[in-house]
Amino acid sequence: MNGPARTHAGRATRPPGREFQALAWTARHPGFVAVPLLVLGLALMLGPIVTAVFLTVLVASVAVWGRAHPATFDRFAAPALRATWRRWTVYRGRRWAQLMSDCGLTREHRHTGDLLVPRVLRVRSSSVSIDTVYVRMVRGQDVAYWQERSSVLWEALIAHRVAITRHRPGVVAIVIEWELPFTRTIPAPDIPEQVDDVDLGAVEIGDNERGEPFTAPVIGGHRLVAGASGAGKGSVLWSTLRGVGPCIRDGIVRVWMVDLKGGVETEQGAPLFHRYATSMPAALELLTEFRDAMRDRQDDMRDQNVRACTPSTGTPVELLVIDEMAMLTAYGDRTSVRDALRLLAEVMTQGRASLFAVHGYLQEPSKDVVDVRELFTQRICLGVTAASHVDMVLGEGARERGALADEIPGDARHAGIGFVIDKGSRLPVRFRAAFVSDDDIAELVTRCTPPADADVIDLHDDSDDAERGAA
């Protein structure tokens, strides 16, 4: 059949009728029809005046909610409202089609001559400054094709940065970072005056992207902090210790420090530490003692029929901090690494109720480097060097949802910026850790060093001391 409506291959040479295109569009956007119908129905049932009053009260209630309780509003309502607004003002209609055309992401249908435009399927707005747009590509395109044009796309959007990843077959996720929220260095948090001023479940570390204090727990789990050299891991470490300073001073938190870089970056805070190790043999001794202390407390809990300890001088929080964890779990000799991983796994699987916590800091978060990575319940990702590292730390799909940690510049102006995953919404939250200077560490040591105790042991190797003395 050689009619004008078909090609020799049997394919249509003209698109469906406009009425069917409109029906298909309506099916994909039911709210466009449902909302006006709902308003019309209310007007018919209640009258136009009552409906207007009802809508005014509804809008006013949302506004009051946002002003009165920003935390719950930003968690439950703001992402949906932001995504809806931006979907209809930025990512639709002629404006979207023009953007795609200008960036070379459209294609002409070879039979009908119609312009094929990539279609927006969904918009998620995890924060004021980050959107994730899920787009169905035009047939004949792939992720690499889009990634080649990512720089053109972010310049056209006048955005700070754009990252493109594959979501599923035929669909890409475009993460659009509209602006960088942190334009200044955040000063070190104040050291609380008294133990009663410390909340071990929410210790202030810096600010989040909404300008609110960014907090993280010290109890109830184990923390993994990943970031490239110079990304600001020290800011997280020392901000945490400043936040629990009075508890260290009064013996409610005891810090066990392992620094296999010879103690270069932690030596200044040595008076704060209950135990301190700077070499592999000393670290294994410390880990064994840490594990044995956990077992002893578990025995006491069993004898006293206690299911979970409460932080006190009798049952202090035992906090093991490992700076540059890869030196302990991957780069040492095989026997030592195996022993260290065995001790860590035992503590991390059993220590929660007895108040034994592990905080690990490292640069490369792959499974080969940290075999116990999945045992960390709190994850913080600072600036990293590879896109794959983001999902290794924060979980699968984190980068696609907006955690562009690999795109954070590696200079000093951006140190301390990173991402965590909000437990409620599962969306990335960007934060900046406070900058803790040498003077701030000295203040912490002066104010919060615990009283002299015969049990406090420095597990430096004599060989390390001799080398430093010779130098």
Side-chain angles (χ1 to χ4, degrees), residues 111-185:
H111 298 301
T112 65
D114 289 344
L115 186 67
L116 302 179
V117 179
R119 180 160 58 87
V120 175
L121 302 179
R122 184 160 56 109
V123 176
R124 296 185 70 168
S125 187
S126 58
S127 71
V128 175
S129 57
I130 293 181
D131 293 341
T132 303
V133 185
Y134 298 91
V135 178
R136 182 174 297 283
M137 297 178 288
V138 172
R139 182 176 294 181
Q141 298 177 349
D142 61 7
V143 178
Y145 183 86
W146 278 69
Q147 289 173 339
E148 290 175 359
R149 288 159 176 76
S150 61
S151 59
V152 177
L153 187 57
W154 89 48
E155 295 293 351
L157 285 167
I158 317 179
H160 180 71
R161 186 170 288 107
V162 167
I164 300 174
T165 57
R166 184 177 186 268
H167 177 60
R168 63 172 189 266
V171 178
V172 292
I174 309 172
V175 182
I176 303 171
E177 188 178 50
W178 288 106
E179 59 185 11
L180 191 65
F182 305 108
T183 57
R184 63 179 182 87
T185 300

Side-chain angles (χ1 to χ4, degrees), residues 370-392:
V370 191
D371 195 46
V372 292
R373 188 181 67 199
E374 299 305 322
L375 298 180
F376 287 97
T377 54
Q378 310 164 19
R379 311 284 189 88
I380 294 176
C381 189
L382 301 171
V384 290
T385 56
S388 59
H389 291 176
V390 179
D391 287 355
M392 288 179 188

Side-chain angles (χ1 to χ4, degrees), residues 134-370:
Y134 298 91
V135 178
R136 182 174 297 283
M137 297 178 288
V138 172
R139 182 176 294 181
Q141 298 177 349
D142 61 7
V143 178
Y145 183 86
W146 278 69
Q147 289 173 339
E148 290 175 359
R149 288 159 176 76
S150 61
S151 59
V152 177
L153 187 57
W154 89 48
E155 295 293 351
L157 285 167
I158 317 179
H160 180 71
R161 186 170 288 107
V162 167
I164 300 174
T165 57
R166 184 177 186 268
H167 177 60
R168 63 172 189 266
V171 178
V172 292
I174 309 172
V175 182
I176 303 171
E177 188 178 50
W178 288 106
E179 59 185 11
L180 191 65
F182 305 108
T183 57
R184 63 179 182 87
T185 300
I186 298 170
D190 294 333
I191 301 173
E193 294 293 333
Q194 303 296 330
V195 169
D196 292 342
D197 299 329
V198 178
D199 181 0
L200 293 175
V203 177
E204 184 175 345
I205 295 176
D207 290 349
N208 65 22
E209 59 192 345
R210 295 186 290 269
E212 302 164 344
F214 169 67
T215 62
V218 168
I219 56 176
H222 310 289
R223 179 190 298 172
L224 177 66
V225 181
S229 178
K233 296 187 291 297
S235 294
V236 179
L237 191 160
W238 290 110
S239 292
T240 300
L241 296 186
R242 281 179 66 89
V244 300
C247 295
I248 297 174
R249 179 193 63 210
D250 295 352
I252 296 174
V253 173
R254 298 198 299 189
V255 181
W256 305 54
M257 175 65 71
V258 175
D259 182 1
L260 297 188
K261 293 181 292 185
V264 174
E265 297 183 11
T266 55
E267 184 72 33
Q268 187 179 0
L272 300 167
F273 307 146
H274 177 66
R275 296 287 187 271
Y276 187 34
T278 58
S279 67
M280 179 63 86
L284 290 176
E285 182 182 342
L286 183 149
L287 287 174
T288 301
E289 186 178 348
F290 192 76
R291 188 276 312 274
D292 292 344
M294 181 192 71
R295 287 181 174 178
D296 292 341
R297 185 173 296 181
Q298 288 174 332
D299 291 340
D300 293 340
M301 292 170 65
R302 204 161 30 245
D303 293 341
Q304 299 173 22
N305 197 27
V306 174
R307 294 182 59 191
C309 291
T310 301
S312 67
T313 53
T315 55
V317 176
E318 306 287 2
L319 177 60
L320 171 60
V321 180
I322 307 173
D323 193 17
E324 198 42 67
M325 194 172 183
M327 300 294 293
L328 182 69
T329 61
Y331 300 145
D333 68 86
R334 185 172 300 178
T335 300
S336 298
V337 166
R338 183 171 61 248
D339 291 343
L341 288 171
R342 175 179 53 80
L343 291 166
L344 283 173
E346 184 174 348
V347 170
M348 295 175 72
T349 53
Q350 301 179 32
R352 183 174 182 271
S354 53
L355 298 178
F356 281 70
V358 178
H359 287 190
Y361 296 78
L362 76 165
Q363 295 186 39
E364 213 279 282
S366 69
K367 198 74 172 176
D368 293 338
V369 174
V370 191

Side-chain angles (χ1 to χ4, degrees), residues 17-83:
R18 295 294 183 184
E19 66 278 12
F20 289 99
Q21 292 184 38
L23 286 174
W25 186 90
T26 302
R28 294 194 301 267
H29 306 84
F32 188 79
V33 176
V35 172
L37 288 178
L38 178 62
V39 173
L40 179 60
L42 288 174
L44 293 175
M45 292 175 58
L46 305 176
I49 297 178
V50 175
T51 300
V53 171
F54 172 78
L55 294 176
T56 302
V57 170
L58 180 63
V59 173
S61 299
V62 172
V64 170
W65 179 16
R67 300 288 292 178
H69 206 285
T72 57
F73 181 84
D74 290 344
R75 176 178 174 182
F76 297 108
L81 292 174
R82 241 188 342 258

